[in-house]
Amino acid sequence: MLSIGTLAKRTGTKVQTIRYYEQIGLMPEPGRTTGGQRRYGTVELDRLAFIRHSRELGFSLEAIRELLDLSDSPERSCAQVDAVAQKQLHEVEARIARLETLRVELQRMINECNADRVADCRILEVLRDHEECLSDHIRPGG
Amino acid sequence: MLSIGTLAKRTGTKVQTIRYYEQIGLMPEPGRTTGGQRRYGTVELDRLAFIRHSRELGFSLEAIRELLDLSDSPERSCAQVDAVAQKQLHEVEARIARLETLRVELQRMINECNADRVADCRILEVLRDHEECLSDHIRPGG
DNA sequence: CTTGAACCTACAGTCGCTGTAGATCCTATA
DNA sequence: TATAGGATCTACAGCGACTGTAGGTTCAAG
Ligand SMILES: [Zn+2]
Ligand SMILES: [Zn+2]
Ligand SMILES: [Zn+2]
Ligand SMILES: [Zn+2]
């Protein structure tokens, strides 16, 4: 039986994070000592490791919840699991594309600044006016 | 003189967001009508446009605050402005690098899954055990 | 003058944690 | 067995950058 601190160390999680996962129903309520402290077994260890690894790969807690639910039905088709992963891949690709646009624009601003005075700084000029940008980095809806 | 709604439309901002910027001191307190409604001029319009464009390029509100302060001293060297932009560029590059790692790992998981049952799903296998990953996508500190 | 869209304040909620305060528990050593 | 002090407990506030809501007031068009 593991204390919450030991479980935290074994999975690279903070203690508060484990309690937070319990609070939102992502981790089950564990057994307690007579004094009221949480005690965990290997099932909980494996579940938490799954959650943390999925988080490292960028999955949202909602997606992880879905993956955990799906993995409780071993005989079902894994199409839904694959769909969740596909969606995550698309989101990552979209974020990369956006950041790549920003990278190019930032690099260009920085390269073009040869001024020494703030009054002539190319970076500030570009920030003041999107017309100075080459790319359309404006997100739909914010 | 512009109402908050007109200012919002002109800059692609939500009305609440403008009030939020005022609350945190990023936008100045504007004049008011006798009835208490905010009225803005071109100075505020330009400032908000600057803020929004900087946000589009991924700058944090703290960085934007610094840029706005710096641009109030036109005779000073723009070295600090350039440093803020450089830092932002590095952050964007770091995020791209991390997401690229995730993209490769996600793509591999998805490609390797030929199973039809959840029990044999390669995606779940990988999520259960980071040893199945090729890359070290673990962030230092969570 | 009436209507209704836009505005006002104040506050709660989002996501995924992280930090704090003050109390209690567990365990190792004397 | 007594005590010290690290670990744990609950409850709540805070982060960034907004977004949404409720309930009330103001403005401008017709
Ligand atoms: Zn410059
Ligand atoms: Zn631009
Ligand atoms: Zn599969
Ligand atoms: Zn991994």
Side-chain angles (χ1 to χ4, degrees):
Chain A
M1 283 303 189
L2 308 169
S3 72
I4 196 170
T6 310
L7 184 66
K9 252 171 222 149
R10 292 259 189 103
T11 57
T13 316
K14 302 227 167 168
V15 165
Q16 296 103 306
T17 305
I18 298 173
R19 289 200 279 248
Y20 170 69
Y21 289 161
E22 181 183 329
Q23 198 187 314
I24 62 168
L26 199 58
M27 284 292 286
E29 288 187 25
R32 301 263 185 161
T33 64
T34 45
Q37 299 194 354
R38 292 168 178 82
R39 288 296 179 268
Y40 296 95
T42 42
V43 173
E44 287 95 342
L45 180 68
D46 290 348
R47 191 178 174 97
L48 185 54
F50 183 99
I51 294 170
R52 294 309 291 176
H53 194 210
S54 302
R55 286 293 298 134
E56 287 300 333
L57 287 162
F59 288 89
S60 71
L61 293 184
E62 257 323 290
I64 294 169
R65 204 188 290 272
E66 196 178 341
L67 291 172
L68 284 167
D69 284 354
L70 288 166
S71 66
D72 283 342
S73 312
E75 295 308 318
R76 279 179 55 185
S77 152
C78 79
Q80 256 179 288
V81 173
D82 298 24
V84 171
Q86 274 290 353
K87 194 175 164 221
Q88 174 61 15
L89 177 60
H90 289 328
E91 273 165 32
V92 166
E93 283 170 345
R95 270 191 275 164
I96 289 173
R98 170 160 167 77
L99 287 170
E100 192 55 38
T101 308
L102 299 191
R103 193 185 66 73
V104 170
E105 211 62 66
L106 286 165
Q107 188 70 73
R108 201 169 65 90
M109 284 166 51
I110 291 166
N111 285 348
E112 285 179 2
C113 175
N114 304 312
D116 38 23
R117 288 189 322 142
V118 160
D120 310 317
C121 181
R122 181 68 182 147
I123 291 166
L124 292 174
E125 279 176 23
V126 175
L127 290 179
R128 272 184 215 114
D129 186 6
H130 172 58
E131 294 294 308
E132 303 285 341
C133 288
L134 291 184
S135 53
D136 239 12
H137 53 82
I138 313 285
R139 289 182 275 189
Chain B
M1 284 301 188
L2 309 170
S3 71
I4 196 169
T6 311
L7 183 66
K9 251 171 223 151
R10 292 261 188 102
T11 56
T13 316
K14 303 227 164 170
V15 165
Q16 296 104 305
T17 304
I18 298 174
R19 290 198 280 247
Y20 169 70
Y21 288 161
E22 182 184 329
Q23 199 187 313
I24 62 169
L26 199 59
M27 283 293 285
E29 288 187 26
R32 301 263 186 163
T33 64
T34 45
Q37 298 196 356
R38 293 167 177 83
R39 286 297 178 268
Y40 297 93
T42 42
V43 173
E44 287 95 344
L45 180 68
D46 290 348
R47 189 178 175 97
L48 184 55
F50 184 99
I51 294 169
R52 294 308 292 176
H53 194 211
S54 301
R55 285 293 298 134
E56 286 300 334
L57 287 161
F59 288 89
S60 71
L61 293 184
E62 257 322 290
I64 294 168
R65 204 188 290 271
E66 197 178 341
L67 291 171
L68 285 166
D69 285 354
L70 288 167
S71 65
D72 283 341
S73 313
E75 295 308 318
R76 279 179 54 184
S77 151
C78 79
Q80 257 179 286
V81 173
D82 299 24
V84 171
Q86 274 290 353
K87 195 177 164 219
Q88 174 62 15
L89 176 60
H90 290 329
E91 272 166 31
V92 166
E93 284 171 344
R95 269 191 276 164
I96 290 172
R98 170 161 166 76
L99 287 170
E100 192 57 37
T101 308
L102 298 192
R103 193 186 66 73
V104 169
E105 210 62 66
L106 286 166
Q107 189 70 75
R108 201 169 65 89
M109 282 165 53
I110 291 166
N111 285 349
E112 286 180 1
C113 175
N114 304 313
D116 38 24
R117 288 190 320 143
V118 161
D120 311 316
C121 181
R122 181 69 182 147
I123 292 166
L124 292 174
E125 279 175 24
V126 175
L127 291 178
R128 273 184 215 115
D129 186 6
H130 173 56
E131 294 294 307
E132 302 285 342
C133 287
L134 291 185
S135 54
D136 241 12
H137 52 80
I138 313 285
R139 289 182 274 189

